[in-house]
Structure formats: structure tokens, C-alpha cells
Amino acid sequence: MNNPFEYNPDALCSEGFAELMHMIDELRTSDDHADINFVSELDAGKMLGVLIAADTHGDMHTLFAFSGQIGDNGFYHKGFVGPVFDYLQPDGYFKTHESDISRQNVEIAQFKRAIYNPLLKEYNTRTKEREAKIDAYREQCRKSKAKRSARRSSGDVSEEELADMIRQSQFEKAEMRRLKQRTADSLAPLQDKLNEAKQTLDEMKERRRADSEALQQWLFDNFKLMNGMGEERSVGEIFADTPMKTPPSGAGECCAPKLLQTAYLNGWKPISIAEYWHGKPKEGEVRRHGEHYPACRGKCLPILQWMLKGIDISPPLDYEKYYGQTFIPKILYENQWFCVIEKPSGMLSVPGKGESESLQQWLDRRYGVEREVKMVHRLDQDTSGLVIASFGNIAHKVLQSLFANRRVHKTYIADLEGDWQALGKSERGRIELPLSPDWLDRPRQRVDLTEGKPAVTDYKFISTSEGISRVEFHPLTGRTHQLRVHAAAESGLGMPIAGDRLYGKDLGHAHERLHLHAYKINFHFPIDGKDYSFSTDIPEF
């Protein structure tokens, strides 16, 4: 079977997807409102899956799945496989306890609105009034003190008057203490009521939290997935061995787990699988209708590693084995402050989860710990080109400051899918699309106009040939996957970088590399006052 994270759909899956599209088109003309609503939700954006499986007689079966839930029917629709675990039965354990938690949410909201919030508002109002009284008296004391100081400096003050001044100062200080105590005492009953209400509110929230965690744990324990060896394991047990420890929301509800579970329950052997995006992309995501995509890593990688146990996968699921190769960086320049390296595609900039040597580790081995070599910035694993590393803390802080203040000018060369002229793109321009991590599908990033970090890229098209456009990128910020997302997103250029296995299309070559190269870098280095400029040859992608 193909690797669901690295693949091109085979002929059977492609035929199956065409059959699925025909089935969806027929649903569009249905008289059943459920069918029409179903298609409407698909068109709004949904991942669809196709699995080819063989029974014990060698006959092939084509299975279809949609990710998550759709409409009133939740997990079910005619022609598609059902869920791995249907926890949405109206009178079932999950829905019953979920209703109880919803009731607690209402009770908490009512308590806050009717009791806690009015007490808090009154307390805040009276606290401000108390502070205003204290501030007013403090200002009165300040003026009185200034007046006494001016009188003393006149030099014409009797002993009796000086004694009066001292008594006045002592009185004002004592009165300040009494004022603070009186106002604090007046607030005390209200403070007690507020504390009591806060304790009640905290107890209600704690009970809700405990019930929610218990219900979630019940789901984790009862959501069980099979593998190719006939074994069964809960989603909680699967994720317990991962860095996340706890399954993310919706784990096991993607297309691939549904399809594989159905095949195993029928005693069928999975032969090939593919997932396609249908409809509009979700806000910020880089998806194209009808294009195939790898299974998501955040939810599905741990699950599929379990479910595909006992199934021969090509290429193997082991990421390091699939991409393992000998990486040989090149040192292009070095001085006492920093060095400039050409990083090959496929090499991590800093240590990751696997065993492959990163550029940081390679530099440590080359220079030794006494040089205190540190990466100043990073390139994606799949990106090749120029990287700067510093020697010692002083140079590291200076260089990082240059990057942070946009005083390092970088130029990238990339090949994009499509003819920019035929697509009506401007020859040059600026892309400003803020980005944030797609937490449930790391390491993917997404366009996030509300909470994303600013990301700005200038571009200039250089040439085009056979449906591939060469472009020069000048990133003004350094966000993760910035150039890849800005190229692929419809709100950006809408032209994925060739060979981009996360945001683009697979061009048909299993080991095709990302066509992105950090070609040039220049900056002024304030420690020695020199201007530096470095460039490399553009590789034959």
C-alpha cells in the first residue's frame, strides 16, 4: 500500500475519486433536502478520502469517507463509510453527559451574571473611590509639606512654630494610616461577599472541568482503532506514547482512520489510499479543490502508524528512512564573529525528533564547543541555501538584532507552478498575509488575518518556461514557511512552489525536492563596520 503521507494517487484511487465526484454531482439534483444540505457542506470545504481494498477472494472494493461530521446526520451519509466510534447517539453516554456539562455552563453563566459580576462591579467601584480619597488626602499632605518646607527655608521660624510643624506632619501621617484603615474596613463586608461568590464560582468551574475531563477520558478510552494485524488500541493509548500525550480534538475522525477501520472490520486488505480537498478552502488554509493531499500529521500520524501496523507500506512510514541521505553543507566564509554556510535541501537547521544530523550538530562537530557556534536564523528542512551561524554570545546577539530589525537583506530563488503571465499575475509586487501555525496539522502554517503574526514578502518574476515560473523573493519578515504559504495561498500568488509536499502538488517524482533556494544575503556588521554580501549558485532543481 502507498504511504498516506507521501504519495501520488494510483489509477484505482483516481478512478474512485472520479466516481465519487459523479456521485456528489448526482446528489446536487436530488429532491431530498438532506442530500442538498450535505453537498452544500461539502462545497463549503471538506477533505474526502478514497480507499481501495481487496477481500479474501481478490475482489476490489472502493470506499469513500468525509472528514469529521456533516449536518444533522453527523457521521453518516449514504455512499460513505461510518465513523470509527459513534459517540453521538442521542441517549448515549457521551451526549447525556455532554448535556449535563452544557447545563453547568448555563448555571455558571447565570451565577456570574446575577451574583458574581454585580458584586465585582460594586467592589471595583468602591475600590476606586477609596483610592481617590487616599490620593486626594496624599495630595493635600504633599502641599502641606511643601508649605512647611518653604516656611522653614525662610529662616524666620520660631521654636514653637517648628514644633507645630512637626506635630502637623505627624498628624497627617497618622491620619493617612487611619484613612486607609477606615476605607479598608468599610470594604471588608463587600470583600467577604465577593470572596464567597468567587469560591462558589471556582467550585462550579472545577466541577465542570472534572466532568469534562472525565467525559473526554471516557471518549479516549472507548474510541478504539484496529490495525493490519487485527489488534485494537484506544486513541488515548496511541497518543500516550507521543509528545502530545493527549489526543487533539477530532483525532480518529479524519478520512484515513475511517476508511481503514471499515476495511479491517470487513476483513479486507487495504491496497491504496488517497485524500482530496473538495470545495472552498477553510479560512487561511492553502487547499485547492480536487487536489490530493497527505494525511494530516498532528492527528493522523500517530494513529496511522498504529493502524497500518502489519501492512506493507511503500515508501515506509518512517520519515527518517524515507528522506535519509548524506548531507554535506559547505562553509562559504568565516571570520572570528560568524560563518556563512550553504545548507543542502533535506537537512534540518536545528536538531529535530529524528536521528539525522542537523546543521547545528554538524557545526558543533566541525568547530567544537569552545567556539560557541549558534544558528542566527533557520531555513526549512526542504529549502537549500545560505545560513549564518555566530561564534560567541556577543556576535549572536548583534546578528539576531540585525535580523529582528530587518537589516539583513535576503534573496530567494523559487520555481512556481504555472505561467505567471497566463495567470494574469503582476510582474512584481508585495504580499502581506499574516501567518499562524496550523496546530492540528504541524508543521503546516495558515493565513490568519485576525491573530497571525505579520509576514511580508516582495517578489519579482524573472522568467517562465513550460508552465513553470521562476521568481525572486525578498522576505521582509522571517515567519515559518512564509514564502511557501505566500506563494501557494490564493490570497497570495496562488502558485505553489514546485516540489512543495505541504502546500503544492507532487509533480510525479517521489524524491522531488522543494524548488526554493536562499540565493543571496547581505548586511552591514556593526562590530567591524564592514558590509558583507554573499551569494551561491542556483541549483538545478
Side-chain angles (χ1 to χ4, degrees):
M1 180 180 156
N2 63 287
N3 185 325
F5 299 96
E6 304 291 339
Y7 69 96
N8 272 318
D10 64 11
L12 290 175
C13 278
S14 296
E15 291 173 7
F17 183 65
E19 179 185 341
L20 177 57
M21 291 298 97
H22 179 70
M23 183 175 77
I24 292 173
D25 285 339
E26 288 187 336
L27 292 176
R28 294 183 194 280
T29 59
S30 172
D31 295 329
D32 190 335
H33 288 295
D35 289 340
I36 295 173
N37 292 337
F38 177 79
V39 174
S40 177
E41 289 208 38
L42 289 182
D43 290 344
K46 205 71 171 172
M47 193 68 79
L48 302 178
V50 178
L51 176 70
I52 310 299
D55 62 24
T56 54
H57 301 292
D59 293 330
M60 296 295 179
H61 301 268
T62 303
L63 302 175
F64 303 128
F66 56 83
S67 62
Q69 309 165 28
I70 291 183
D72 296 335
N73 292 330
F75 293 125
Y76 300 97
H77 199 85
K78 183 180 179 181
F80 293 84
V81 303
V84 173
F85 175 49
D86 186 356
Y87 55 89
L88 298 181
Q89 292 299 316
D91 298 324
Y93 183 94
F94 187 88
K95 295 300 291 183
T96 300
H97 286 73
E98 186 181 52
S99 295
D100 184 58
I101 293 170
S102 297
R103 177 186 55 77
Q104 292 181 50
N105 288 333
V106 172
E107 291 175 351
I108 289 171
Q110 289 175 341
F111 183 83
K112 288 180 66 176
R113 182 171 59 254
I115 298 176
Y116 180 76
N117 287 348
L119 284 172
L120 180 62
K121 182 179 180 180
E122 183 182 358
Y123 179 79
N124 288 336
T125 299
R126 291 180 59 181
T127 297
K128 290 179 181 178
E129 292 173 352
R130 174 179 182 260
E131 292 172 351
K133 289 180 180 178
I134 293 172
D135 287 343
Y137 189 71
R138 183 178 288 112
E139 177 63 17
Q140 179 181 329
C141 293
R142 185 193 66 79
K143 292 179 178 178
S144 178
K145 181 179 179 181
K147 185 177 179 180
R148 289 194 300 271
S149 297
R151 179 67 182 135
R152 287 192 191 96
S153 63
S154 69
D156 184 20
V157 182
S158 67
E159 291 294 330
E160 183 179 357
E161 188 176 0
L162 281 173
D164 287 340
M165 289 181 184
I166 293 172
R167 284 192 294 271
Q168 183 183 25
S169 175
Q170 291 172 340
F171 172 81
E172 289 173 348
K173 290 177 181 179
E175 183 62 20
M176 175 63 79
R177 290 192 296 269
R178 288 190 290 267
L179 176 61
K180 289 181 178 180
Q181 187 62 52
R182 285 196 305 272
T183 53
D185 290 343
S186 68
L187 268 178
L190 182 58
Q191 174 77 71
D192 291 341
K193 290 182 180 179
L194 181 60
N195 290 341
E196 183 179 348
K198 179 66 164 57
Q199 182 177 350
T200 300
L201 183 60
D202 289 343
E203 289 172 353
M204 295 172 72
K205 289 182 176 180
E206 175 58 26
R207 184 166 60 252
R208 179 185 61 182
R209 183 200 62 77
D211 290 349
S212 296
E213 287 188 0
L215 182 59
Q216 195 75 355
Q217 190 60 51
W218 177 88
L219 181 61
F220 295 159
D221 292 341
N222 287 273
F223 200 115
K224 297 181 178 180
L225 302 119
M226 299 177 66
N227 66 18
M229 299 175 69
E231 301 169 330
E232 195 173 61
R233 200 175 188 189
S234 73
V235 69
E237 292 172 324
I238 291 172
F239 276 86
D241 297 331
T242 70
M244 287 182 284
K245 301 300 181 185
T246 301
S249 175
E253 297 181 23
C254 295
C255 295
K258 290 182 178 181
L259 292 167
L260 290 170
Q261 187 84 348
T262 301
Y264 293 149
L265 289 172
N266 283 281
W268 300 341
K269 179 182 178 181
I271 300 299
S272 62
I273 193 170
E275 295 187 52
Y276 301 83
W277 184 257
H278 180 92
K280 300 176 182 178
K282 299 296 185 183
E283 183 179 357
E285 292 186 353
V286 182
R287 307 283 191 189
R288 294 187 176 196
H289 175 71
E291 290 292 339
H292 72 276
Y293 290 91
C296 66
R297 285 172 166 78
K299 294 181 183 179
C300 289
L301 182 56
I303 288 174
L304 296 187
Q305 283 178 325
W306 163 255
M307 296 192 77
L308 291 172
K309 187 178 179 181
I311 303 296
D312 185 23
I313 304 298
S314 180
L317 271 179
D318 188 304
Y319 184 87
E320 294 300 330
K321 286 183 179 178
Y322 185 56
Y323 285 101
Q325 53 182 297
T326 302
F327 302 113
I328 306 176
K330 297 179 182 177
I331 302 293
L332 301 184
Y333 174 85
E334 68 174 274
N335 59 22
Q336 69 184 99
W337 305 107
F338 62 84
C339 62
V340 180
I341 315 102
E342 183 175 358
K343 184 188 84 67
S345 174
M347 188 179 204
L348 289 165
S349 292
V350 295
K353 295 179 182 178
E355 298 179 358
S356 293
E357 185 176 51
S358 67
L359 180 57
Q360 175 69 67
Q361 291 166 320
W362 185 85
L363 290 168
D364 288 338
R365 184 163 53 83
R366 175 185 175 90
Y367 288 110
V369 294
E370 65 275 2
R371 291 297 300 272
E372 297 181 296
V373 60
K374 295 180 182 179
M375 304 300 301
V376 178
H377 64 120
R378 305 176 187 181
L379 293 180
D380 293 343
Q381 179 177 7
D382 296 337
T383 304
S384 60
L386 298 177
V387 185
I388 300 175
S390 62
F391 298 125
N393 288 330
I394 295 176
H396 185 70
K397 290 179 180 179
V398 170
L399 286 165
Q400 280 200 320
S401 176
L402 294 180
F403 275 91
N405 291 294
R406 301 184 184 183
R407 294 181 180 176
V408 178
H409 305 285
K410 297 168 287 183
T411 303
Y412 289 73
I413 297 295
D415 288 338
L416 308 188
E417 298 173 15
D419 184 323
W420 68 272
Q421 293 175 313
L423 293 170
K425 306 296 181 182
S426 299
E427 181 178 3
R428 62 176 67 209
R430 172 169 290 184
I431 305 166
E432 298 184 72
L433 294 175
L435 305 177
S436 66
D438 188 340
W439 296 111
L440 295 181
D441 196 5
R442 301 293 300 273
R444 289 176 64 93
Q445 306 290 305
R446 60 193 297 274
V447 177
D448 187 345
L449 300 179
T450 56
E451 298 182 1
K453 293 184 178 180
V456 184
T457 304
D458 288 338
Y459 71 89
K460 176 185 177 182
F461 284 105
I462 301 172
S463 62
T464 184
S465 175
E466 299 180 353
I468 296 292
S469 298
R470 178 151 289 188
V471 67
E472 196 174 88
F473 282 129
H474 299 277
L476 304 184
T477 53
R479 306 300 176 205
T480 300
H481 294 180
Q482 175 176 319
L483 300 182
R484 297 167 72 170
V485 177
H486 279 184
E490 290 298 331
S491 48
L493 290 176
M495 301 171 65
I497 298 176
D500 192 336
R501 54 196 172 86
L502 285 180
Y503 306 101
K505 305 174 184 177
D506 192 320
L507 299 184
H509 307 293
H511 295 280
E512 177 101 34
R513 60 152 293 184
L514 180 71
H515 290 211
L516 179 62
H517 183 71
Y519 161 65
K520 189 174 182 180
I521 194 166
N522 56 75
F523 57 93
H524 175 79
F525 190 55
I527 293 181
D528 61 11
K530 295 182 180 179
D531 293 326
Y532 289 93
S533 181
F534 305 96
S535 61
T536 68
D537 294 332
I538 300 173
E540 295 183 7
F541 294 118

